[in-house]
Amino acid sequence: MRIAFIVNNYPPNIGGLELHVQALASTLHEQGHEPLVVALGDKTETRNDDGVEVLVLPQRFKIGGLLGFPHFGTKRRLTRLLKARQIEVVSVHTRFFPMSYLGWRAARSLRIPVVHTEHGSDHVASNSPLIWIGSRMVDFTLGRAILRGADRVLGVSEEVTAFVYRLAKVKAEVFYNAILPVQRSSEPIVDRPERFVFVGRLVPGKGWDTFLETVARLRAEGLNVTGEVLGTGPDEVRARQMVSDLHLVEAVAVRGRVSQPEVRAALRGATLVN
């Protein structure tokens, strides 16, 4: 089948959604399908990622290092692309991304089935009143339209499917985050439960601050726990400052963005605090 993933972000941007789409596209290619990924970036380019064609369209600007906005005319360009490539299924991800809405609209104009995968289990968490109000306006308008207009809705957890029903009264199916399989290591796993690891984007609401507070409290109570923070985002500077303020410099490493093999090595035998 010819399948188009129309998303805002794709590797080298790293996050749960991006790795999910990359794993799906790669596996579909291995199974003989023809995946096409259309994403936003700083410049237009077409590349081949191990058999997966990736088309990057320019974005106007980006908020918080995550939410990019396409140029005017992108919906028309997507419609022409889907028709020219004879795409049979369109996959869009997360209700509030502009490319999800444009991809759904372009596919609908050509009567191409759309599968929407939701990755959020609640409204956007933010201390900013502007973002708080704006994100809910998007959820109750464009977000609901996408969820109700898609031919099939998937959610990456039970909590996500429950949120989809609360927001749009749509029954979604659980389809867990996809990851690429890796060869098991023959080395024995050393059990080190006192090593805590946080993996995620460093943005408000993800819990990186609660993670650091937890490590600090446990150490204050005499438990010799240490930690690692894996991931980057607009809060990375704040995270490093909080490590200093909590006197955790010798106990917690804020490592920023790391590769998937490094993530696996960090988690090996440790305690994931999610």
Side-chain angles (χ1 to χ4, degrees), residues 247-268:
H247 308 292
L248 295 174
V249 174
E250 301 298 323
V252 175
V254 180
R255 296 178 55 192
R257 177 181 295 172
V258 299
S259 67
Q260 286 300 292
E262 289 176 288
V263 172
R264 295 187 184 101
L267 290 174
R268 194 170 174 82

Side-chain angles (χ1 to χ4, degrees), residues 4-226:
F5 293 90
I6 301 179
V7 294
N8 257 58
N9 305 311
Y10 191 74
N13 294 313
I14 295 296
L17 187 156
E18 293 88 341
L19 294 175
H20 174 86
V21 174
Q22 183 185 51
L24 285 178
S26 176
T27 304
L28 287 168
H29 168 69
E30 292 174 359
Q31 293 177 351
H33 302 288
E34 299 177 26
L36 168 67
V37 177
V38 184
L40 296 180
D42 295 326
K43 61 179 181 179
T44 302
E45 67 169 336
T46 301
R47 66 176 191 265
N48 186 296
D49 287 0
D50 297 324
V52 176
E53 183 181 359
V54 180
L55 173 61
V56 180
L57 303 180
Q59 58 192 4
R60 295 169 61 85
F61 55 88
K62 205 168 189 177
I63 298 176
L66 176 67
L67 184 60
F69 291 85
H71 284 226
F72 292 113
T74 298
K75 186 259 184 180
R76 184 170 60 252
R77 183 172 182 177
L78 288 173
T79 303
R80 291 199 301 262
L81 177 67
L82 297 178
K83 185 176 182 179
R85 296 297 186 88
Q86 297 182 309
I87 296 298
E88 298 170 271
V89 177
V90 167
S91 172
V92 295
H93 295 254
T94 299
R95 70 209 176 273
F96 57 73
F97 282 124
M99 289 296 278
S100 296
Y101 181 73
L102 296 180
W104 166 66
R105 287 284 309 279
R108 190 174 70 168
S109 69
L110 298 171
R111 298 185 179 180
I112 299 173
V114 176
V115 177
H116 174 83
T117 302
E118 186 54 50
H119 294 254
S121 58
D122 209 333
H123 300 289
V124 173
S126 175
N127 294 325
S128 166
L130 183 63
I131 294 177
W132 191 94
I133 294 172
S135 64
R136 278 157 178 74
M137 288 178 61
V138 171
D139 277 349
F140 291 123
T141 54
L142 304 184
R144 275 181 175 169
I146 296 169
L147 292 170
R148 292 172 176 173
D151 295 276
R152 184 69 60 84
V153 179
L154 309 175
V156 298
S157 71
E158 289 82 358
E159 290 78 12
V160 171
T161 58
F163 172 64
V164 167
Y165 190 78
R166 291 201 313 272
L167 177 60
K169 295 296 183 289
V170 171
K171 291 186 178 180
E173 300 176 53
V174 175
F175 185 84
Y176 295 116
N177 264 318
I179 59 172
L180 289 173
V182 295
Q183 186 175 2
R184 289 184 178 272
S185 173
S186 58
E187 297 179 5
I189 295 177
V190 178
D191 192 23
R192 47 192 187 119
E194 73 288 344
R195 182 65 168 179
F196 287 6
V197 183
F198 172 92
V199 184
R201 200 185 305 274
L202 301 187
V203 295
K206 283 290 188 181
W208 61 265
D209 46 353
T210 305
F211 172 82
L212 295 177
E213 291 168 353
T214 301
V215 173
R217 285 190 61 179
L218 291 173
R219 289 179 64 83
E221 293 175 9
L223 295 171
N224 187 28
V225 298
T226 58

